[in-house]
Amino acid sequence: MRSPLLPLLLVAPFLHAAPSAPDGLQCELMTGAQRTVITDATPEFGWIVRDSARGAVQSAWQIVVASSSTSAAQGQGDVWDSGKVASAASVNVSYAGPALRDNQTCFWAVRTWDAAGNASPWSTVAEFKTGKLQPVGPISGDPRRNDDFSDRLPGEWTEVPAVALQKSAEGDVFADFGKAAFGAVRLSLDAPAAGTLTVRLGEVLEKPGRISRTPGGTRRYREMTVPFQAGRSTVDVVIPADKRNSSGDAARLPPGVPEVMPFRYAEIAGAPGTLTPEAVVMRFLHTPWADQAAAFDSSDKTLNQVWDICVHSIKVTSFLGVYIDGDRERIPYEGDAYINQLCHYGMDREYALARYSIRYLMARPTWPAEWQMHMPMMVWQDYLYTGNTELIEVYRKDLEAKTLQGLARADGLIVEDKAKMTPELIKSLKLTQPPRILVDWPASSKARAAGERDGYDMKPVNAVANAFHYNNLRELAAMDRALGRKDSAAAWDAKADKVRAAYAQVFWNADKGIFRDAEGSAHSAQHANLFPLAFGLVPETSRKSVSAFIKSRGMGCSVYAAQHLLDGLYLAGEGQTALDYLTATHDRSWFNMIKAGSTVTMEAWDNKYKDNQDWNHAWGAAPGNLIPRQLLGVQPLEPGFARFRVKPQLGNLSFATGKVPTIRGEVKLSATQKMPGRLKLSLTVPANSVAEVHLAASGPASVTEGSGPAAKATGVTYLRQEDGCAVFAVGGGDYEFSTGQ
């Protein structure tokens, strides 16, 4: 693939000062890799190029790997010295020295050169440790045991003192920790004599100052009797394991890690002496997390609160080191994990947890048909965000089965047909039962007889399932192109073209300008239209009618399908409608989760819409990726963010600012608009990357950068007009665009 960075070498005359030392060092796509062990015999290194010059690109690099930190800091590599390598690569740079040994501790550093040949200082030293080195491959053994944390970061504990304490009429101490998390309580006591006390933990209040003992569904409440000793002591409250989420298909807590549960509130009865907020501490477990890696603010307070709850949700639900569906089951599910993955990528520059979740789900898949088809989607997004092909290479054949092409009939459309659910097909999916089409979940509830499916007509040839199938075929073609398999890629594209033609013939209702639910159906649900819109199956000439129908149904889907609903609306240029949904305050909105009293996103819009819902479901956190990916418009166009898009769709926001982490560094932007068509965009692009900036304008003459025409600005290249936007290419650096001049 031709590097998109090469044209930017033309701006080399504008590079003045030498680059700063690279930072953000990663080994095997992990920051702080010394906290685990690496099993890849040729681990990949990555770093952030720090060069503030406009259009800055790396022209060369040098890595040293040493047996001591001192040697690495001095640029001496007694394990490996790459020498100066002429290359723009700053991610996925493979170790190429003498064979590493099992159980070896190494230290490494890197320096870079800019396009003018100026060398940076050496980076700070990073460390990695090898475990038992082996070929990169699928998970061996049963991942539910969760007893192997090689190649991913183990969890860490954060302590939060109570933000408020009060005494109840009964004399109990009520503690509020501000936000819910998966943890336990630690008490600091000073007791005149030994005794016992009672600790109650929960997520839901019955009334101010009292935890609900019967919160309903699978919202959590537990009560424990806790012994304490005479004198000063620290007491960790032991939570008994819940058989429902610690056996069967559940992912277990790592060996030696004490049981945790989601809670925000605690009641302590019978405690000796006087408790202070510092003496009542929540200890919660989560994957290592950089709280400042991402940021968002806007002119809409509701939207800001929605962002905050989503960020907190992704952080605290990471406690097992694998993406799970919530506390009721603690089972990884593919549809949930896809949303979790995209959110995590938009909040932190860490990729190992998502990659492990993919490997887990390839070993332990779940039953919904669309969940099978989420796996190519997850692998493809991993490749786009990291630029690493290992998962494609390891699972390439398995991903073919995950497209469900084994259920295809002559025209390419897949059919939910028992005759096609052969033992061979089920085995190829690593399932024990035939996959079943989901569309959305739950199928029904007390509040809605139609559940979250908008009355969907569930017939064998299903529009939703086939939209996923089409999308998978395109992704398989793209993966094969990434591996250099041109003929195979062309074959997958041909299959996709065939499905696209059949899709239009079978599902399109020309009289209404929308899609039907299924072959032989007269019904059109929101889902039959939102998924083809999100996956590019709606011709541009029909986007208006399909979008209008989707909008007429409001939020007619679950928190899961809302991910794809808003993806489709943004793709169709319906940014204002998407913003309306993100900021809605009715009972089918993200803000309703906050109004209901939760500080972690819910499994459903409201308790009444899912009888057994929990209050700690990451699949409810879709705005955590929709805001950076769609509203701010930052998405990778080429693997590893070598080239990415910036296309803000602010709707009627007067301003929005954000920081979006990428593998190459932070994308920072601040957009303000006083009226439609008059936008000011301040943008920082990481060095060694290229951004395609999409600005609503009739042409380049309507856009300025700095004090002059954008098309003539240093380091700015006008590319084309697309979807009503003037599109410009810019390299690393700071830019100030304005439209409507």
Side-chain angles (χ1 to χ4, degrees), residues 200-505:
R200 307 180 190 98
L201 304 177
E203 299 173 287
V204 184
L205 291 182
E206 178 183 294
K207 61 181 180 180
R210 181 179 171 84
I211 300 172
S212 174
R213 274 64 166 162
T214 55
T218 46
R219 277 79 74 191
R220 289 308 193 192
Y221 170 76
R222 301 295 294 272
E223 179 177 315
M224 284 74 62
T225 299
V226 181
F228 59 85
Q229 303 299 316
R232 292 185 177 180
S233 64
T234 299
V235 176
D236 285 316
V237 176
V238 177
I239 301 172
D242 185 335
K243 184 177 180 180
R244 177 168 47 188
N245 60 26
S246 61
S247 61
D249 288 332
R252 317 298 198 258
L253 280 163
V257 175
E259 185 58 64
V260 295
M261 65 170 279
F263 70 96
R264 173 180 172 178
Y265 308 105
E267 292 174 9
I268 302 101
T274 301
L275 295 176
T276 65
E278 293 74 23
V280 184
V281 173
M282 168 197 279
R283 299 182 70 242
F284 74 90
L285 182 64
H286 58 88
T287 196
W289 190 273
D291 288 315
Q292 306 306 314
F296 176 74
D297 189 28
S298 77
S299 55
D300 192 292
K301 292 182 179 179
T302 296
L303 185 63
N304 299 340
Q305 292 179 73
V306 168
W307 166 257
D308 289 343
I309 192 176
C310 291
V311 173
H312 183 67
S313 300
I314 299 302
K315 178 179 180 178
V316 301
T317 57
S318 68
F319 69 101
L320 280 174
V322 62
Y323 297 148
I324 57 163
D325 70 324
D327 191 55
R328 181 177 64 252
E329 296 180 300
R330 298 187 184 177
I331 297 174
Y333 283 95
E334 296 88 340
D336 306 52
Y338 175 74
I339 297 171
N340 209 327
Q341 172 193 29
L342 289 178
C343 291
H344 199 166
Y345 289 170
M347 296 172 182
D348 200 0
R349 185 176 167 264
E350 291 292 343
Y351 309 98
L353 193 155
R355 290 166 68 82
Y356 178 78
S357 297
I358 291 170
R359 296 173 67 217
Y360 188 113
L361 286 162
M362 293 300 289
R364 297 284 306 178
T366 63
W367 60 267
E370 297 95 318
W371 274 205
Q372 303 302 303
M373 294 185 282
H374 271 85
M375 293 312 300
M377 295 166 63
M378 289 188 70
V379 172
W380 179 244
Q381 290 298 327
D382 170 78
Y383 176 55
L384 284 179
Y385 276 81
T386 69
N388 190 291
T389 60
E390 283 179 348
L391 293 182
I392 299 177
E393 293 165 351
V394 169
Y395 294 112
R396 179 61 190 76
K397 289 300 295 182
D398 292 319
L399 292 173
E400 289 188 19
K402 295 292 184 181
T403 69
L404 298 188
Q405 65 170 345
L407 300 179
R409 64 185 189 184
D411 63 358
L413 297 178
I414 60 172
V415 186
E416 191 173 35
D417 181 359
K418 289 183 179 179
K420 290 182 176 292
M421 303 288 185
T422 63
E424 291 75 20
L425 181 139
I426 295 170
K427 182 179 179 181
S428 72
L429 297 171
K430 295 184 173 64
L431 292 175
T432 58
Q433 59 179 313
R436 288 172 283 154
I437 294 174
L438 187 75
V439 172
D440 209 346
W441 196 259
S444 63
S445 68
K446 292 178 181 178
R448 284 160 60 100
E452 301 293 57
R453 289 177 173 166
D454 194 30
Y456 202 97
D457 190 358
M458 302 289 287
K459 292 183 180 296
V461 185
N462 183 293
V464 169
N466 275 286
F468 274 97
H469 180 57
Y470 168 79
N471 185 58
N472 278 182
L473 298 177
R474 290 295 188 210
E475 288 169 337
L476 263 290
M479 290 181 202
D480 276 354
R481 279 192 291 274
L483 298 180
R485 301 174 180 175
K486 295 181 180 180
D487 291 344
S488 179
W492 286 106
D493 271 331
K495 289 183 179 182
D497 291 341
K498 185 177 182 180
V499 169
R500 186 182 184 93
Y503 199 96
Q505 183 176 1

Side-chain angles (χ1 to χ4, degrees), residues 7 64 103 138 198 203 276 390 438 465 467 470 487 507 511 519 534 552 582 656 663 671 682 684 711:
V64 292
N103 306 314
T198 300
E203 299 173 287
T276 65
E390 283 179 348
L438 187 75
Y470 168 79
D487 291 344
F507 300 120
D511 293 337
E519 185 175 56
S552 75
L582 286 169
I663 196 167
S682 299
T684 298

Side-chain angles (χ1 to χ4, degrees), residues 45 57 66 78 119 202 239 250 256 427 509 520 591 609 693 706 730:
F45 302 110
V57 291
D78 59 332
I239 301 172
K427 182 179 179 181
N509 185 331
F591 189 73
Y609 293 120
V693 185
V730 298

